[in-house]
Amino acid sequence: MEEGFSRVAAVDCGTNSIRLLVADVNPTTGELRELDRRMTIVRLGQGVDKTGMLAPEALERTFAACREYAEVIREKGADKVRFVATSASRDASNRDDFVRGVLDILGVEPEVITGDEEAELSFTGATKELTGRDDLALAKPYLVVDIGGGSTEFVVGDDQVRAARSVDIGCVRMTERHLVTDGKVTDPPTPEQVAAMRADIEEALDLAAKTVPLREARTLVGLAGSVTTVSSIAQNLSEYDTEAIHHSRVSYDRVREITESLLNSTHAERAAIPSMHPGRVDVIGAGALVLLSIMERTGATEVVVSEHDILDGIAFGIATKATEEAAGA
């Protein structure tokens, strides 16, 4: 291993998806060399907003993904692993079943982090590589928004976090709360459903604004699947292309057009979008509306899209700890 680098494995388990990053990381230079990055839609948060529990089938989907990831981690030889669990597992009464299952499969206990910790990791992952990137010409401070399945994190900062807040307006939570009738997603949603969802989002933005100065930021950076999917649609990509999406910019007008289109389309029409992941078909309308509402609230004329997020923040954290321990040995 090259001096200064650590080989690490980061797992981020959210409400809608579980993701793995195996990378060689140098926390001093901010360099991250990706060896494997993958995502599986597991819907761990299925029904949590209503029942307060993780569904047995959701747990099994998640454990199946963990078994696949354990094999990748062994193959790549990453000996430092951190598993971070976010919104759904924070809210569930049976999260001990989840913790035991992950420990058995991966040999590490999942850390169920707070919304503020989630926000800080997302900010680190999204902005650490921006330092010194004059070609991007991004003005500070940044507002990093991570639109997840169960919650959305808001972080304002320059090189360090200045303020952060997590609020419960993720794409899965909004879909289940407002767009489901008799156990099925309304296709397409009614104007009344969309208005109720919009009111819920606005209320959450009021809450976020009490802690985070949303209008002070000069660059809006958007993270996670809802934002990256909107970018892929804006670019008319024939398939999901990480390179084309990372650091792309989508104007407010384009986000508004795409959101309106998604909220007026059927399941079949959304599923036919070439870059659409099958697991996002039912929740992308809600996710796009969260993004649009944020842009309207902040006055942002565009969103800069990042494929680097909480997963990269976790990886930097593991490597930083390893470097500190080596220095102290």
Side-chain angles (χ1 to χ4, degrees):
M1 179 68 61
E2 195 175 325
E3 189 175 347
F5 283 83
S6 299
R7 181 159 297 182
V8 304
V11 182
D12 166 40
C13 186
T15 302
N16 195 43
S17 63
I18 183 170
R19 300 178 305 140
L20 169 70
L21 170 64
V22 181
D24 291 336
V25 181
N26 186 326
T28 306
T29 62
E31 196 173 350
L32 185 148
R33 297 172 183 169
E34 185 178 307
L35 302 174
D36 197 297
R37 188 188 294 260
R38 59 185 67 196
M39 183 270 289
T40 312
I41 301 281
V42 294
R43 287 281 176 90
L44 180 62
Q46 174 194 329
V48 167
D49 198 45
K50 185 181 287 185
T51 67
M53 293 184 68
L54 299 168
E57 60 271 29
L59 281 170
E60 187 42 53
R61 288 193 298 268
T62 304
F63 295 154
C66 286
R67 285 187 279 272
E68 175 195 325
Y69 291 0
E71 188 59 36
V72 174
I73 291 166
R74 278 193 296 272
E75 283 176 4
K76 298 296 181 185
D79 56 354
K80 299 174 182 68
V81 183
R82 187 181 181 195
F83 187 114
V84 166
T86 53
S87 183
S89 48
R90 274 201 301 270
D91 302 338
S93 59
N94 61 335
R95 70 183 190 185
D96 287 351
D97 296 340
F98 168 68
V99 170
R100 277 194 302 273
V102 171
L103 185 57
D104 286 347
I105 297 165
L106 286 168
V108 293
E109 194 165 311
E111 298 173 47
V112 181
I113 59 173
T114 66
D116 285 347
E117 289 173 303
E118 189 176 347
E120 190 146 347
L121 287 168
S122 294
F123 185 84
T124 300
T127 63
K128 197 168 182 75
E129 68 175 330
L130 301 180
T131 306
R133 286 289 302 272
D134 295 334
D135 56 312
L136 293 173
L138 299 180
K140 297 177 183 178
Y142 309 117
L143 170 61
V144 174
V145 293
D146 186 343
I147 303 173
S151 61
T152 294
E153 282 64 54
F154 296 82
V155 200
V156 163
D158 299 291
D159 299 321
Q160 300 290 326
V161 172
R162 280 171 34 192
R165 185 71 183 259
S166 176
V167 292
D168 288 340
I169 51 168
C171 60
V172 174
R173 195 185 295 269
M174 290 296 94
T175 300
E176 290 188 349
R177 189 178 289 175
H178 296 289
L179 306 185
V180 174
T181 306
D182 298 327
K184 290 184 178 178
V185 175
T186 310
D187 198 22
T190 67
E192 291 78 16
Q193 285 176 311
V194 173
M197 181 165 62
R198 167 75 89 152
D200 206 358
I201 293 168
E202 292 298 334
E203 192 176 324
L205 290 176
D206 290 341
L207 197 60
K210 290 180 179 178
T211 309
V212 179
L214 298 178
R215 286 189 168 272
E216 281 184 21
R218 295 180 64 200
T219 298
L220 175 65
V221 182
L223 319 182
S226 292
V227 181
T228 59
T229 300
V230 166
S231 172
S232 74
I233 297 169
Q235 297 181 66
N236 297 309
L237 298 180
S238 58
E239 60 183 10
Y240 192 95
D241 182 344
T242 297
E243 270 190 40
I245 291 166
H246 190 46
H247 291 156
S248 60
R249 302 178 186 215
V250 188
S251 70
Y252 164 75
D253 288 340
R254 195 75 178 98
V255 171
R256 183 171 47 77
E257 287 169 13
I258 290 166
T259 302
E260 289 173 359
S261 173
L262 290 169
L263 289 172
N264 285 293
S265 62
T266 64
H267 177 97
E269 287 167 341
R270 295 190 301 276
I273 296 170
S275 58
M276 181 73 68
H277 189 289
R280 296 203 187 278
V281 174
D282 285 335
V283 300
I284 185 60
L289 185 61
V290 172
L291 174 60
L292 178 65
S293 302
I294 291 167
M295 294 184 79
E296 289 176 350
R297 178 66 66 100
T298 60
T301 57
E302 67 174 10
V303 57
V304 178
V305 182
S306 178
E307 284 276 9
H308 292 184
D309 50 28
I310 186 172
L311 205 53
D312 303 76
I314 296 164
F316 277 117
I318 305 167
T320 299
K321 186 177 178 184
T323 300
E324 289 169 352
E325 286 173 353

